[in-house]
Amino acid sequence: MKISKELVAASATPLVLSIIAQGESYGYAIICRVRELSHGEVTWMDGMLYPVLHRLERQGLIESRWGESETGRKRKYYRLCKEGSQALETERAHWQVVDAMLTQLWKEKPSCPTVMLPAFMAC
Amino acid sequence: MPDRDASGIHGLLNTSGLSDEEVQWLASGGSDGPASTWVREGGLAPALWIALGFLTYEVFKSLNYLLSFALYCISPSGSMRSVSALVYVVLCGMMMVLAYGVSSGRLARVIEELSRRYTQRTFLMRDLAIAAIIFIFSPVVVQSVSLYMERQWETSLGALALQLFLSICYRALPWIVCIRILGYVLPAKMATGNVSPAIPSFDEDEAIAGWRAHLLKCEGVSEEDALELVEHLREEMAALTQAGLPANQAFAVACRRLGPPETLSSEYAKAQPDVVWRTRAQWMLSGILATLLFMAAKQSILLLLFGMVRLLHVLPWAPTLFLPVADILMWATGFYLFTCFVNGRLTRFTGWLNRRHSGTRALATDLAFLAAVIVAVHLLYMLAWNSGKFMPVGSTLVMLVNAGLPLFVLAGAALCWIRPAAPSQVCDQRPS
């Protein structure tokens, strides 16, 4: 099952913020975490993550620093800011509302639509 | 053969984490269908914006000539040079408004609309050819009318025909060469990696360097972004290679997972539109400045040649034929240099220029120095034409306005103003 592009795009911000909220991370690790969490159902074009990260950084939700990887190469790490934590809380509240609505709707048994029959056919 | 390759790749499915789609893609030889349009592929090269800046200058020059002539016809009492200088100043103002519109992104919608219109390169070429015909021939027609009004037809028809022919050549050459260069730049090929089963001589660093170079040609992607993406590519490749995929296939899959550079570029551009528009305006202004500098250099060489011809008292026909030919030869040299820039043969020079102008103050100082050189060259030019006598101050100012000095100063100031911040130190370090 492939999740639509629109849903992937809509969920990108809360997903990225939630992963970074668990601790400082970098692009490739975030992608791997998404793959792992979704069991491959959510497929991002990897490069698309970085413009999202940059947008969040410009919005002041996350901040970055250049560090070194295990191999000694340069690597950019991202961590959540205070504003980011607040934004994540807001996102969580929004998604929980949507989740509650859909869960409630799908729990209810679908009832047959009421058809108004003419009087002579009703009996 | 493809079946055997496919079965080999299918064997890797469970171990290397390739999706079904990726396995099929590798089995099909790594083809993603026909190449995309020029707007996505090559429309992002700086050379395109420099060429467009250059053509803008050509249009500017022709408009200046046409409007000056129209105003002169309405009010023949004013001298042609004064009217031309007035029109020049007004057009300079309009150019600056245009530069502001481009750099602030206010014209983004117009340019996006144009990009949509020119989804095929041939449409752009056709429209540029039409524009070239209009802006080459209309000044020549006006020039003919002007000559007729001055009754120069009566003197020597042959000389006038030669003058008009050279005028057409002089105006047509920049358009022809620029359109030719655009035709060369636009269908830039994408670096898709070879995905044949295994290449023992596959050079990973070279492939990554090629991919990075292609990425950096796309606008919106800075050195810092490229470094981050290259690091991602390396990690992805390492994971795929560790899982058993040959290096060349790991590279191809990693590139595919990251996405085509053109798509990445458009996403980066969406994330930071102000930076992208500033860069575009920066390249256009650089194109205009380079053209004005080239014109000044050309004029000084012509002045030198003219002086030599006059001093030696040889070749009486030289001013008629020799100088226009020298002029055209210098245009050809200028375009050759531009082609070298497009081909990346001037990387040492452009690298030095980049390093030198890392600060706005250094750029402003150099531009001020070049403006002073332009003034000096034109004063010499005037002295030569005026037999060693200085012209009145008013005429000198009019001459300097016509020489493009206000446009040079304004374009230089705009370039210093809109110049993106110098990249941080980390970007200069290449990954080890």
Side-chain angles (χ1 to χ4, degrees):
Chain A
M1 182 183 66
K2 286 275 178 194
I3 295 177
S4 71
K5 277 182 187 173
E6 289 77 14
L7 188 57
V8 170
S11 60
T13 302
L15 265 175
V16 170
L17 287 178
S18 305
I19 292 170
I20 297 176
Q22 291 176 346
E24 196 178 54
S25 191
Y26 57 96
Y28 184 68
I30 296 172
I31 288 283
C32 289
R33 185 85 177 111
V34 171
R35 277 186 207 151
E36 180 195 331
L37 285 168
S38 70
H39 304 288
E41 299 293 352
V42 174
T43 48
W44 281 359
M45 193 180 274
D46 294 7
M48 298 298 182
L49 169 72
Y50 294 97
V52 174
L53 286 169
H54 292 187
R55 180 170 51 79
L56 295 175
E57 194 178 0
R58 281 161 73 89
Q59 289 171 353
L61 306 183
I62 58 173
E63 58 186 11
S64 65
R65 70 170 179 90
W66 281 95
E68 267 194 6
S69 66
E70 302 79 30
T71 52
R73 284 199 297 263
K74 298 277 175 193
R75 182 187 276 168
K76 203 173 186 181
Y77 290 94
Y78 296 89
R79 63 165 171 259
L80 206 64
C81 296
K82 198 179 168 187
E83 290 80 3
S85 305
Q86 289 164 359
L88 180 58
E89 283 309 311
T90 315
E91 286 279 349
R92 193 197 307 252
H94 290 173
W95 280 91
Q96 277 171 348
V97 170
V98 175
D99 177 53
M101 281 163 61
L102 291 174
T103 310
Q104 195 178 341
L105 277 169
W106 291 332
K107 265 184 191 169
E108 292 169 6
K109 279 187 180 174
S111 55
C112 297
T114 314
V115 181
M116 296 297 286
L117 295 173
F120 69 91
M121 287 177 75
C123 35
Chain B
M1 272 301 280
D3 286 337
R4 215 177 72 191
D5 298 342
S7 62
I9 293 160
H10 275 289
L12 288 167
L13 177 62
N14 293 332
T15 51
S16 62
L18 293 180
S19 68
D20 287 339
E21 192 201 353
E22 282 169 342
V23 172
Q24 280 168 9
W25 179 74
L26 277 177
S28 69
S31 169
D32 268 336
S36 52
T37 61
W38 72 267
V39 177
R40 285 182 61 201
E41 281 203 6
L44 313 168
L48 170 73
W49 292 97
I50 293 177
L52 286 179
F54 180 77
L55 288 182
T56 309
Y57 175 75
E58 281 299 313
V59 170
F60 175 93
K61 223 169 60 177
S62 298
L63 278 178
N64 182 29
Y65 189 78
L66 294 173
L67 285 173
S68 303
F69 185 74
L71 280 175
Y72 179 69
C73 287
I74 295 167
S75 161
S77 55
S79 90
M80 182 73 175
R81 277 199 177 280
S82 308
V83 172
S84 171
L86 180 72
V87 172
Y88 206 104
V89 171
V90 173
L91 284 175
C92 273
M94 285 168 67
M95 284 280 283
M96 287 307 109
V97 171
L98 187 72
Y100 171 72
V102 173
S103 66
S104 63
R106 282 168 202 271
L107 294 177
R109 282 186 66 184
V110 177
I111 295 176
E112 287 302 323
E113 280 300 317
L114 285 175
S115 294
R116 262 195 287 280
R117 172 173 163 70
Y118 299 124
T119 47
Q120 285 181 27
R121 193 168 62 87
T122 44
F123 288 167
L124 177 74
M125 291 303 165
R126 189 194 59 192
D127 283 9
L128 276 179
I130 293 169
I133 290 167
I134 292 170
F135 287 105
I136 291 165
F137 285 99
S138 52
V140 175
V141 170
V142 166
Q143 195 180 359
S144 312
V145 173
S146 165
L147 290 174
Y148 177 73
M149 282 166 75
E150 289 167 12
R151 297 193 179 279
Q152 285 190 18
W153 293 111
E154 293 161 9
T155 53
S156 162
L157 203 60
L160 285 170
L162 181 66
Q163 195 178 340
L164 288 177
F165 173 72
L166 287 172
S167 177
I168 291 173
C169 289
Y170 176 76
R171 287 173 196 282
L173 195 67
W175 282 90
I176 292 168
V177 182
C178 237
I179 290 173
R180 179 73 194 87
I181 286 171
L182 284 179
Y184 175 76
V185 171
L186 295 180
K189 282 185 182 171
M190 238 177 73
T192 50
N194 191 339
V195 290
S196 54
I199 303 175
S201 60
F202 179 75
D203 187 341
E204 185 182 316
D205 288 332
E206 194 186 332
I208 291 176
W211 185 83
R212 180 178 172 276
H214 183 68
L215 189 70
L216 280 173
K217 276 185 189 169
C218 300
E219 66 183 352
V221 183
S222 65
E223 287 266 357
E224 199 170 322
D225 300 330
L227 186 60
E228 196 177 18
L229 288 169
V230 164
E231 180 55 26
H232 184 114
L233 189 73
R234 282 183 186 277
E235 292 200 49
E236 190 87 79
M237 278 179 73
L240 289 166
T241 317
Q242 211 170 4
L245 220 58
N248 61 314
Q249 289 185 349
F251 173 69
V253 172
C255 283
R256 190 167 185 265
R257 282 184 180 175
L258 262 173
E262 289 73 24
T263 314
L264 292 178
S265 157
S266 67
E267 288 302 316
Y268 272 100
K270 277 182 210 162
Q272 43 187 3
D274 51 334
V275 177
V276 171
W277 286 109
R278 271 172 175 244
T279 313
R280 286 173 180 174
Q282 187 196 348
W283 283 117
M284 283 190 83
L285 285 169
S286 303
I288 292 172
L289 284 175
T291 311
L292 285 165
L293 270 178
F294 171 71
M295 302 291 258
K298 188 170 70 72
Q299 201 141 347
S300 55
I301 294 170
L302 280 180
L303 177 66
L304 199 69
L305 287 173
F306 187 74
M308 280 168 65
V309 167
R310 281 185 79 177
L311 274 175
L312 294 172
H313 295 292
V314 290
L315 310 172
W317 44 268
T320 320
L321 193 64
F322 176 69
L323 290 179
V325 169
D327 199 16
I328 288 169
L329 279 177
M330 273 185 280
W331 270 112
T333 313
F335 284 116
Y336 172 72
L337 286 175
F338 184 52
T339 318
C340 287
F341 169 76
V342 172
N343 287 334
R345 285 185 209 154
L346 298 178
T347 42
R348 282 180 69 183
F349 172 69
T350 49
W352 172 80
L353 216 58
N354 258 337
R355 279 193 299 279
R356 177 165 171 74
H357 295 150
S358 55
T360 308
R361 185 178 285 182
L363 176 68
T365 314
D366 280 9
L367 285 174
F369 172 73
L370 288 171
V373 171
I374 291 175
V375 171
V377 166
H378 281 88
L379 285 176
L380 269 175
Y381 189 71
M382 283 162 57
L383 270 173
W385 275 102
N386 215 20
S387 307
K389 289 177 192 168
F390 279 106
M391 284 168 78
V393 177
S395 305
T396 311
L397 283 175
V398 165
M399 178 103 184
L400 287 175
V401 166
N402 276 311
L405 192 69
L407 185 61
F408 186 87
V409 172
L410 283 172
L415 183 64
C416 290
W417 175 55
I418 65 162
R419 208 154 177 271
S424 58
Q425 197 65 29
V426 71
C427 308
D428 298 334
Q429 298 171 11
R430 296 196 59 170
S432 56

